[in-house]
Each structure stands twice: as C-alpha cells, then as structure tokens.
Amino acid sequence: MDSNQGRVNITVVTSCRGPAKQEAVGWYLIEHIKGKEPETKDGYLYRESITGKTLTLQLLTNALFILSKSNVIYDTIEVHIEDKYIESAYLNNWMDTWKDSDWNNSRGKPVADQETWIQLYDLMDSMSKRFIVGDKRSSYSSIMHMWCDQKLSIEKRLRQFKEDNNHV
C-alpha cells in the first residue's frame, strides 16, 4: 500500500427528517486533497424505507469502499456526517467495544445494522492513520442537501407514475 497520500474529506448527507423509517435519498462526496486541485468522486443511494442512521452508514461504507480500491493509506480522512449516533459511536470507541463483545451492544443484543458496522470498522481500520469524524459541515453540504431533496422528489413522482400506470 502507498502511504502519505494527503488528506481526504468525505461528506455524507441524506434527505431524512427524523428517526423514523422513510423514503430517502443520500449522497456521499469524496474529496481527495493532494496538490492544487482536489479530486472528487461521489455516489448516491435511494431507498423506499430506511432510517437516516442506516442510510448514512451505508453511504459512508460505500465511500470508504471506493477509497479502499486505490490501496492507499491516507494521512487523514475527515468525515462530515450529520448523524449524532454514528459520530458518537466513533468518538466514544463503541465500535471497538462492540467488536470485543462479538458485535453485541451493552444489553447483550446484536448491534443494529451489524454487517454494515463491521464493514465500516474494517475499512476504517485499514485505510488511515487518523480519522476525524464530526458534524462540521463541509463546503459541499448545502448543495448536497438541495440535490438530495430534488432527487427524492423525482423518485417519489416516478414511483407514483409507475403505480398509477400499473408498471410496478
């Protein structure tokens, strides 16, 4: 693996409002800062019924998977997310605790979204000397939120059109 490859920012936003399952769109943006011009890659997910936490986990895992294909260890990977639970899981080392307890929570029950948490843990462990996870908005957050809201509106209209015309 190559090392010392600069800094990477990952921004994850979703259209989710509140903790309940809902129809939602989420987008991740990877910004690799090395040299004068940043390189960006992105991807999105649409789900008919999902929580914001689960969608954020899936998007972050997808973004890290894309980065992992480059076989590079980055100096720093800074993750911008809005989900406080995922932020707390990282900042309070819950993932280490869950791993040590065979991915069970403090009540002895399997962690929700266990497979995705395990994938995320393994990817984070293999890719950087230093992760910074927080809710600090990136310069892309506002435009990404507008895009998610527009994409969700389009997805809903498309689903309704298919239902109305028996194309389901």
Side-chain angles (χ1 to χ4, degrees):
M1 284 196 154
D2 293 335
S3 61
N4 198 18
Q5 294 297 312
R7 191 176 88 230
V8 170
N9 292 322
I10 298 173
T11 302
V12 175
V13 301
T14 73
S15 63
C16 292
R17 304 292 183 260
K21 282 189 173 185
Q22 57 199 279
E23 189 174 12
V25 170
W27 187 12
Y28 69 81
L29 180 87
I30 302 166
E31 178 186 41
H32 183 195
I33 302 166
K34 185 179 178 184
K36 293 182 180 182
E37 292 295 318
E39 297 173 20
T40 60
K41 295 179 183 176
D42 68 321
Y44 82 96
L45 294 173
Y46 163 75
R47 298 288 187 260
E48 287 189 18
S49 180
I50 196 165
T51 65
K53 178 184 79 164
T54 300
L55 184 55
T56 299
L57 270 175
Q58 290 176 359
L59 289 159
L60 181 54
T61 301
N62 287 359
L64 289 174
F65 179 75
I66 295 297
L67 278 179
S68 73
K69 288 184 172 191
S70 65
N71 289 322
V72 170
I73 297 176
Y74 298 95
D75 294 334
T76 302
I77 296 178
E78 189 167 330
V79 178
H80 305 273
I81 57 174
E82 297 169 339
D83 189 284
K84 293 294 186 191
Y85 184 85
I86 297 170
E87 179 185 6
S88 292
Y90 177 78
L91 295 175
N92 296 315
N93 298 312
W94 294 348
M95 289 186 285
D96 290 326
T97 302
W98 295 335
K99 182 180 182 207
D100 292 344
S101 66
D102 202 25
W103 294 95
N104 290 311
N105 63 23
S106 59
R107 289 182 232 112
K109 306 255 185 210
V111 174
D113 301 308
Q114 185 181 80
E115 286 183 29
T116 309
W117 280 109
I118 292 169
Q119 289 173 344
L120 180 64
Y121 182 89
D122 290 344
L123 287 164
M124 290 176 83
D125 192 46
S126 68
M127 292 184 52
S128 179
K129 299 175 218 159
R130 185 174 153 204
F131 269 84
I132 301 170
V133 178
D135 67 349
K136 185 183 106 186
R137 290 184 154 237
S138 79
S139 58
Y140 299 103
S141 295
S142 294
I143 192 76
M144 290 174 71
H145 271 290
M146 289 185 341
W147 181 90
C148 282
D149 291 342
Q150 289 174 349
K151 181 68 175 163
L152 179 60
S153 177
I154 291 166
E155 292 287 350
K156 285 181 176 181
R157 285 186 297 212
L158 180 59
R159 183 178 40 77
Q160 187 63 51
F161 174 81
K162 288 178 179 178
E163 288 173 5
D164 291 348
N165 291 287
N166 298 317
H167 288 92
V168 185

